[in-house]
C-alpha cells in the first residue's frame, strides 16, 4: 500500500514490485491487465495476462500476429495499461509504447514451454475477431504449427499514474520517464 510517508522513489519501487508479483503469482490481481490501443479514432480495450516484467521494466505480453491489437500497433504503437488491486485499492495506469520482440530464439524458448493447448491458441483456423457461423468454429485448428503467429509484445512505459484509494485520504502520484531512463515522480491531487 502506498503511504504518504513514502518518497516518490519508494512508491515507484512498490509499484514495480506489485507488477512483478502479478507475473509470478497466478492469484495476484495484477496478473491480468487491461490493454488499450487505438483503432482508427476509437480506443479498444481488452484483458491480457501479464507474463513477465524484465530487468528493463518492460512488461511482456503474448498475442496472435493476426489479432486486431497487432494491426492497431502497426498504425500507432501508443498504448495504455491498467492494473487494479481490489483489496489494496491500488490502481496503476501506464502510458507506453508496444514493441515486438524480434529475437526468434527468445520467442522459440517461450513457445517450447507451452503446453499443447496453449500452442493451439495460435493455429486456429479463423482469425481473432472473425465472424463465425457457430460458436464451436472458433476452436477449429489447422495442422500448421502456430509458432509463426506467436508474438511477444513488450510494453515500455514512459508515464505512470498511481492512485491509492484510502478512506482517510486518497493518494496519487505521477511519474515521467526522462531521456536518460530515470523516473521523476510527483505527488498530485487525487
Amino acid at each position: 500500500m502506498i503511504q504518504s510517508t513514502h518518497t516518490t522513489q519508494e512508491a515507484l519501487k512498490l509499484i514495480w514490485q506489485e507488477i512483478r508479483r502479478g507475473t509470478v503469482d497466478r492469484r495476484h490481481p495484477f496478473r491480468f491487465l487491461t490493454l488499450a490501443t487505438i483503432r482508427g479514432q476509437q480506443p479498444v480495450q481488452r484483458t491480457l495476462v501479464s507474463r513477465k516484467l524484465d530487468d528493463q521494466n518492460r512488461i511482456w505480453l503474448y498475442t496472435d500476429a493476426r489479432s486486431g491489437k497487432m494491426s492497431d500497433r502497426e498504425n500507432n504503437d501508443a498504448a495504455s495499461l491498467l492494473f487494479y488491486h481490489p483489496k489494496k485499492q491500488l490502481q496503476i495506469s501506464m502510458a507506453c509504447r508496444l514493441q515486438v520482440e524480434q529475437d526468434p530464439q527468445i520467442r522459440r524458448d517461450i513457445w517450447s514451454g507451452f503446453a499443447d493447448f496453449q500452442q493451439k491458441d495460435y493455429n486456429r483456423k479463423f482469425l481473432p475477431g472473425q465472424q463465425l457461423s457457430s460458436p464451436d468454429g472458433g476452436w477449429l485448428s489447422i495442422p500448421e504449427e502456430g509458432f509463426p503467429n506467436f508474438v511477444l509484445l513488450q510494453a515500455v512505459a514512459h508515464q505512470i499514474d498511481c492512485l491509492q484509494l484510502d478512506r482517510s485520504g486518497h493518494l496519487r502520484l505521477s511519474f515521467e520517464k526522462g531521456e536518460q531512463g530515470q523516473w521523476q515522480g510527483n505527488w498530485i491531487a487525487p
Side-chain angles (χ1 to χ4, degrees):
M1 182 167 178
I2 306 294
Q3 299 176 357
S4 61
T5 56
H6 288 132
T7 67
T8 57
Q9 291 305 306
E10 289 170 334
L12 184 62
K13 183 177 178 181
L14 290 171
I15 290 167
W16 290 122
Q17 286 173 349
E18 289 291 337
I19 291 170
R20 186 175 311 283
R21 199 163 155 227
T23 65
V24 296
D25 179 354
R26 292 179 181 267
R27 292 176 289 174
H28 193 281
F30 283 13
R31 176 79 172 163
F32 297 96
L33 59 87
T34 301
L35 168 67
T37 57
I38 301 296
R39 186 168 299 155
Q41 301 297 317
Q42 298 294 319
V44 180
Q45 300 174 333
R46 77 283 282 159
T47 302
L48 293 175
V49 176
S50 180
R51 300 295 182 168
K52 180 179 178 176
L53 179 67
D54 67 19
D55 58 0
Q56 296 173 42
N57 289 335
R58 297 177 302 188
I59 299 168
W60 291 24
L61 310 165
Y62 303 162
T63 192
D64 191 311
R66 304 166 298 169
S67 70
K69 70 183 82 59
M70 288 305 295
S71 58
D72 296 347
R73 186 212 160 267
E74 287 175 19
N75 294 318
N76 185 345
D77 68 352
S80 177
L81 303 180
L82 181 67
F83 300 86
Y84 184 69
H85 194 305
K87 286 185 182 175
K88 293 185 178 182
Q89 295 190 307
L90 177 64
Q91 174 182 283
I92 308 296
S93 177
M94 295 183 166
C96 58
R97 299 276 178 213
L98 295 177
Q99 299 176 344
V100 174
E101 176 56 57
Q102 299 298 324
D103 186 336
Q105 190 57 50
I106 292 174
R107 291 177 44 245
R108 181 62 71 185
D109 290 346
I110 294 168
W111 181 261
S112 65
F114 282 174
D116 286 345
F117 75 91
Q118 291 170 302
Q119 289 185 359
K120 285 183 181 178
D121 286 342
Y122 298 93
N123 70 342
R124 301 289 178 206
K125 179 178 179 181
F126 297 101
L127 303 178
Q130 185 175 348
Q131 187 171 353
L132 303 171
S133 59
S134 73
D136 297 340
W139 295 106
L140 296 175
S141 296
I142 51 178
E144 299 168 12
E145 182 181 341
F147 179 72
N149 298 327
F150 172 64
V151 174
L152 168 58
L153 282 177
Q154 295 164 336
V156 181
H158 55 87
Q159 291 178 322
I160 300 174
D161 187 282
C162 171
L163 176 63
Q164 177 66 66
L165 300 174
D166 190 333
R167 288 184 179 172
S168 61
H170 306 319
L171 300 172
R172 188 172 172 198
L173 295 116
S174 177
F175 297 92
E176 296 274 339
K177 191 173 187 179
E179 290 181 21
Q180 303 300 321
Q182 298 296 321
W183 288 95
Q184 299 297 319
N186 293 291
W187 292 99
I188 60 175

